[in-house]
Amino acid sequence: MVTSTATQLEPIGAPRDEVESVVVRFAGDSGDGMQLTGSQFTLATALAGNDLATFPDFPAEIRAPIGTTFGVSAFQINFGARKIATAGDAPDVLVAMNPAALKVNLGDVKTGGTVIVDSGTFTARNLKKAGFDADPLADDSLDGFQVLQIDISKLTTEAVKEHGVSNKEALRSKNMWTLGLIYWLYDRDRDPTVNWLRAKFGKLPNIAEANVAALNAGHIFGETAELPVGMRGFTVRQAEISPGLYRAVTGAEALAWGLAAGAKLADLRMVLASYPITPASNLLHILAGMKQFDIVTFQAEDEIAAVGAAIGASFAGSLGVTSSSGPGVALKGEAIGLAISTELPLIIVNSQRAGPSTGLPTKTEQSDLFQSVYGRNADAPLVVLASSSPSNCFDIGIEAVRLATKYMTPVILLSDGYMSNASEPWLIPDFDSIAPFPVQFAETDQAGEDGFMPFTRDATTLARPWAKPGTPGLEHRIGGIEKQDGSGNISYDADNHQRMTDLRAAKINGIAKDIPELSVEQGNENGKLAVVGWGSTYGPISRAVGNMRDDGYDVSHVHLHHIWPMPQNTGELLAGFDQVLVPEMNNGQLVKVLRAEYLTPAQALNKVNGQPFKISEIEDAIKGCLDGQSGEAK
Amino acid sequence: MVTSTATQLEPIGAPRDEVESVVVRFAGDSGDGMQLTGSQFTLATALAGNDLATFPDFPAEIRAPIGTTFGVSAFQINFGARKIATAGDAPDVLVAMNPAALKVNLGDVKTGGTVIVDSGTFTARNLKKAGFDADPLADDSLDGFQVLQIDISKLTTEAVKEHGVSNKEALRSKNMWTLGLIYWLYDRDRDPTVNWLRAKFGKLPNIAEANVAALNAGHIFGETAELPVGMRGFTVRQAEISPGLYRAVTGAEALAWGLAAGAKLADLRMVLASYPITPASNLLHILAGMKQFDIVTFQAEDEIAAVGAAIGASFAGSLGVTSSSGPGVALKGEAIGLAISTELPLIIVNSQRAGPSTGLPTKTEQSDLFQSVYGRNADAPLVVLASSSPSNCFDIGIEAVRLATKYMTPVILLSDGYMSNASEPWLIPDFDSIAPFPVQFAETDQAGEDGFMPFTRDATTLARPWAKPGTPGLEHRIGGIEKQDGSGNISYDADNHQRMTDLRAAKINGIAKDIPELSVEQGNENGKLAVVGWGSTYGPISRAVGNMRDDGYDVSHVHLHHIWPMPQNTGELLAGFDQVLVPEMNNGQLVKVLRAEYLTPAQALNKVNGQPFKISEIEDAIKGCLDGQSGEAK
Amino acid sequence: MNAPAAPLKAKDFASDQEVRWCPGCGDYAILKGVQKTLADIGTPPENVVFISGIGCSSRFPYYMSTYGFHTIHGRAPAFATGVKLANPELDVWLVTGDGDGLSIGGNHLLHALRRNVNMQIMLFNNEIYGLTKGQYSPTSKIGTRSPSTPMGSLDRPLSPVLFALGANASFVARAVDTQQKHMPGVLQRAHAHQGASFVEIYTNCIVYNDGAFSSFAEKGTAAEGELLLEHGEPMIFGKDSDKGIRMKPGALELEVVQLGVDGIGEDDLLLHDETNRVLAGLLGAMQNPDFPVAVGVLYCEAAEAYESAVYQQVDAARAANGNADFNALLRSGSTWTVGD
Amino acid sequence: MNAPAAPLKAKDFASDQEVRWCPGCGDYAILKGVQKTLADIGTPPENVVFISGIGCSSRFPYYMSTYGFHTIHGRAPAFATGVKLANPELDVWLVTGDGDGLSIGGNHLLHALRRNVNMQIMLFNNEIYGLTKGQYSPTSKIGTRSPSTPMGSLDRPLSPVLFALGANASFVARAVDTQQKHMPGVLQRAHAHQGASFVEIYTNCIVYNDGAFSSFAEKGTAAEGELLLEHGEPMIFGKDSDKGIRMKPGALELEVVQLGVDGIGEDDLLLHDETNRVLAGLLGAMQNPDFPVAVGVLYCEAAEAYESAVYQQVDAARAANGNADFNALLRSGSTWTVGD
Ligand SMILES: Cc1ncc(C[n+]2csc(CCOP(=O)(O)OP(=O)(O)O)c2C)c(N)n1
Ligand SMILES: Cc1ncc(C[n+]2csc(CCOP(=O)(O)OP(=O)(O)O)c2C)c(N)n1
Ligand code: SF4
Ligand code: SF4
Ligand SMILES: [Mg+2]
Ligand SMILES: [Mg+2]
């Protein structure tokens, strides 16, 4: 049952090797439950004290015919005894539940890596569906990998026999068998998963027990079966992690909670108006389940209606939020201009995806920075923020609410498909320790002789007052036509338009004073090379810079959470480096903004293939910048 | 009847003074016929051999109550014996047909300039409507101007008495009386206007003759009345103008004709799909009247439908064109992304107006450059062109069609409200001398074994073939999902997405090789200062640079018609100057693109008050850059 | 103690902004009618919000002393929905035009109507684009010559009320700019209705489409050209109240009959039934010259307002989940502790 | 000489692309039905263009061997209008979904229908958003639990056919995915009609809304749950053809009657009249379980197609102005000569 391309076999129960970090990818058909498997393994790994990061990869099709390559679903986890920055470049271990999963994922596996396949699925029919001309288990396709061919289907069916489940149900537990094996491989505790299974299938005890049996059987198989050379259990030491209570969190969850927390801190009702679009819909779904937090969600007829309703909600004194992905945000441009002109708070969340146009909806990209900073008619400045990791979405969500309400301005918050779906452990903050920033609405006595003046400004922030309909004495009318400075009445006056344009720009630029200065994440404050990132490239850049610094390179990591306006010292900080490299999952956008703003001779490192950067790709680029340069440090 | 703030009077029939150039502004109520007056004066001036430029200024309201300031309509003309670059900074002569017209326009008049008012309209009621607390003709408001108070209303009524028109109709001829006076002032020929009046009112001969009588009466008044000191007739020598047949043309007309000409040269039917919006509607109106040129115009339900229909028309093998202004173009962003992704020709005309949001619809601005170059989701490159003057719209219209069809790409063509409405004399080109560029559609035999491959590319242009539905054998399907290089089938392949992104960028960047190199319009190829403009700032920059060069300043004028991609030598050319100044009617947009692309330390000169630059404003900025610098030339 | 407030007058609802429609524009009359209606209703101005899109008609909010939002072209229903979602207590009035509401904004109008968001939607129908200088609109008659259709328009027009009925609207009515006595009654009914109340108001654009409704909207033509609907009343019209509407025998069609001729009496006439959507459709389709134009409340159906259903869910979620506790939320699901 | 072309078969209209709907999705059946219809009609594939928006249903064009354009969400009618304006000879078929066509795309659908652009519009109604994983749509029943409405949806649904009638559509019909015999006939009628032919096709989303139409769209339920419309024929349905539809006496309403009971015979039943828009509205509103669901051609009215009127104007302009001469155009109006 167990065969191997390697010929020698190791004795059963060999001692475990210690490894610093590992990347495992579970891959199977959409129906094979790979996402569940992955999240259980994640939890077990977190409980084992490793640091980790994960990335689920869903198929583009809703439910592709079983066994086809475009129906393959995968879940990758990177875990280790050190700080884990990304979900990992190349898997050390690939679990392929069918030929299609093997076909799609094999190319990514590290040379010499381990490939575990359910050989029971390698039938002629399945091979054909996956597009194999010949059986890869039978030819030299897998040379160079550690291959574990196990008829998992059959072993699972046998293992669950006694629980009286149908054959179909039995095969549904294959993923638990596999999970059991991987638990053995990395010495994880099965108990939480057993508990979870029993809770999940509470009303179907035989299904629950069948799954438990499969899990145990896989584990026992690892302990007892004869595995190929080098294939023995591993241990991964606990990572040094700040103490406290942790959970796994995806970007979408953290963002939903961050926005909700922000609204609470601002003492506002939140109205989220959104139109479904991949990969942004999750935020709508999560917030739709949080009504008890005084959150109203509204599935509008389209993206324009969504942003319109959000702005209407803000006009009425709530926090208006709208969310979409690139093509949907494109539709919101005109209305965002109105929010800029009327100076109302508004949050626009963009979960970016690969484009242009419909593009690759399920693939990631960070190519909407231009659209965010520049993508509106006329001079229309607003705030642009970008979160750097799943858990950071919580903080950025709060920051977005703070700036939107304090400065009466729309804020675009950039996330991306990768970040929304990826998860990482999160040291859960104490909500009560976060300083609130309650909104002060204008009050009746603020109306002067000539009535209320909605376009007067706070001297420091340049924000105008926010007057809630329903408040006597503050009746006022606003709109998208240019407004008289102060009174807010329609004004066609030439000089007033100049003044208002300048004020709008000054208000946004002034926010630079109210955000943290830019500092280096790793490395020196000046030197040979700064690698400047934004958004979800944080992880790979951080690891790559760390590795290169370990190798003696003079390189620093700088990361921007505030894309517009940028921290006041940005130009100055970057001027301290001989070279500036800007890796982006686009064709070069932040790099252009930095060059335009500071004349920094920044160089682009672009990747637009729908996949996050590999650490090695950034390392190579750093070497490209620094090798061949003279001087003591590389 | 004629009084003056000056006390001395000159003898009748004094000899004429020669002046080099003059700016006259006609201003009155919307109902006073100022636009007609202006265009007749323009024609007479062109026939007199002067160079000229004009600018009409309509009120924002459709039909404001008579006599109010927001109902004032004006027409300005600058004419002279030299090359005229703009409609002029400050009027030498203001004609104010009522108190409101005086109120709105007086501030612009040159110190010492001439103000002609119809004193018959300065009633208490009209003064109040115009917002005057006291009669400006009675106090010191007009000190410092040459004032001609004439009861034009009364004189006109008398002049037309014999033609049996009603009092209302008589007063309608006031504008012709005034025109007659101005004709006398600048020694223009009345005959063309007389002919025009008789043709226009062919069916109402008494109205025609009343107007002719008013025109003549105004003229006679000039010849015979006692005018104030310094107020005598002028002559303006003929300008040196290339010989040939001329006409006056507005930007909207020239653009309509240019696009139509382009379609003809490309051998295509044009489908213009548009949704009305100020100041873009004119283009729709003009093309709607050109059906005999195989032009189909379609007033869509909104801007998205308009761009969609235009893309559909291009898919079907016609030239799809859509037109709007900033807020409307904002709505088209998503669909433009589809045209980029499907690589179909498409022309998007943006007649820019002041923003953000609804802004000042009837005021000009050139603040949609960012939106044009960057304003879409994802990496979505296209071509951006900008015309520099009313007549240049014809050439740029043709260039837009040439690039769109040759490169299978959307082209954004930037005009603006000022340019659309302004007119200038145009040496009419010979259409037969323009080289045609007929489109070669794919043919049945281009389909290979696996069928037609819509995403193969021409090796030089990187353009894909254009296959017309209806052609046997070329059936193919396209859409906004990423396409397999070559076949055009849907592809979720990572590397293919990278390749296609690169190809899309390379195709657009490659166009830089197919456009004229950037050259200086005036001045040296390198030196102390380059003033770089785009769009309708051409005129004032050109004149300002000319004036400053006459004064010995080392300054050159550079102008970009191709905004994206820019001419290949742009960076190099600009690098030859110590300083680069970029005047824009926005808050600094081209300047950012130049900095981002070439790291040129370009400085912005911004103006956002809804008005074109004054020559003096640019001259001042040039002085600001160069004065206080050492060196022989200033 | 609060002194009893003086009853509100129409002018209490006028803002200090100069009204800038063309002299003679029908919108002036509507403004008057609306101000009177609000005074009659007596809602305090601070609780009222006027929301509009873009167009001559959409300048309306500036002229009201209430809260107002002049938004962007066609999207007013979306903004208004957001206002109601944020604060269902506000009294929201929406002003749109035939271009704003039915051309660019057709979809938002459709969805506000079907969702039944509680507001009054007044569509000022002048069958033309006023603000952009006279292009034809989706309600313009076929053959309309306009700057964009110099040879005449070709598209079949929409009927705003039939559109609203097709959109599953729960309240559909019509009023006429010139009929100041009639309009406030219709608007009050619209206000009283729970949900999206759609009122088409014919208005004369004196500049670009003068006289579009002269066959029924003028003093001399109203009696013959118009049918005033009253729930439960027989459908009688004409200067001498001598004409009526009945179902054409044996057909699913209306016909005009002369009372007293061929033995036709009031009993043969249709009684207006506001609750019958099919009847509303038949009435909404009536056009001059063959039929009188129906004005008044065509259709009214009791239904729940969208935003009140929304808040019932919010309340239910609160009841089921207790007070929102962020620390509990963040700690829900699987957690683990990393020790010191 | 041209050899007489072999008659087209359904498979001549199948492209080489793998069909990627979920196994069991109703869209497969529609694909088959459409391919058969096109073969029956016999238009050469190169003259046919399929245009769609975004959604599971909107993947349709990829599976046809004709020209195809998978555009963006909701805007397909606009693209299709452009295609027809550019080349009225093309045979244009539009595929949209209940989300694509009635949520984001409602306005474009509305205007394509009222303009009467000559094309066939097939709205695949599965009462759910398939592609984005199961959110409720504008046709979902109130109370639909979906990822975005965990406590149930609150908006009143739209009826696609009533919407189309309100949009002044000239052809309105219905078909059902599972009824392969019936569908091609309806589609052929749609194709034959000059103008925008609207066909709602019920389709089962097996993943997110399985069984939404089981009360009439399945083998066992069709006879009782459905009324097949035929112009001029009495409205009879039921397994034993023993039920019928008539006007409720004295009311503007339909009712179901049992044939042979209370002396009711075929003569009492309504005859279907495709040309009566009001009848179409009554039929379109019928819903299970009280009424059978009406399928077939609900409404059909002869009308001119928009694009043919457009080209009549182009031809008239040509006839009036002679051949387009650019040099003459540029020299029209006032000109002057500057001498050497
Ligand atoms: C996005 C956008 N597109 C177009 C316009 C131009 N526009 C303003 S109002 C209007 C039509 C107005 O017609 P209607 O709603 O009937 O109002 P009316 O002026 O007739 O009262 C148009 C096309 C705009 N302001 N914004
Ligand atoms: C501008 C834009 N907004 C949203 C989406 C996401 N989206 C794609 S299809 C769809 C709904 C599809 O529903 P329907 O039209 O009913 O098609 P079905 O999948 O049910 O056949 C949505 C919301 C998108 N692609 N583009
Ligand atoms: S253009 Fe027409 S609708 Fe607009 S204000 Fe004037 S009369 Fe009224
Ligand atoms: S999700 Fe539903 S509609 Fe989409 S392909 Fe699957 S079954 Fe069909
Ligand atoms: Mg209108
Ligand atoms: Mg659907």
Side-chain angles (χ1 to χ4, degrees), chain A residues 334, chain B residues 275-276 303, chain C residues 54-57 73 97-100 126 128 130-132:
Chain A
E334 190 208 1
Chain B
Y275 185 70
E303 286 83 357
Chain C
I54 301 282
C56 293
S57 33
H73 197 31
D98 44 322
D100 189 66
N126 55 11
I128 209 78
L131 190 69
T132 49

Side-chain angles (χ1 to χ4, degrees), chain B residues 62-63 70 275 285 299 301, chain C residues 73 103-104 129 135-136 148:
Chain B
I62 306 290
R63 193 179 280 181
F70 46 88
Y275 185 70
H285 301 168
Q299 179 177 313
E301 59 271 25
Chain C
H73 197 31
S103 192
I104 191 169
Y129 287 2
Q135 299 86 1
Y136 81 120
S148 57

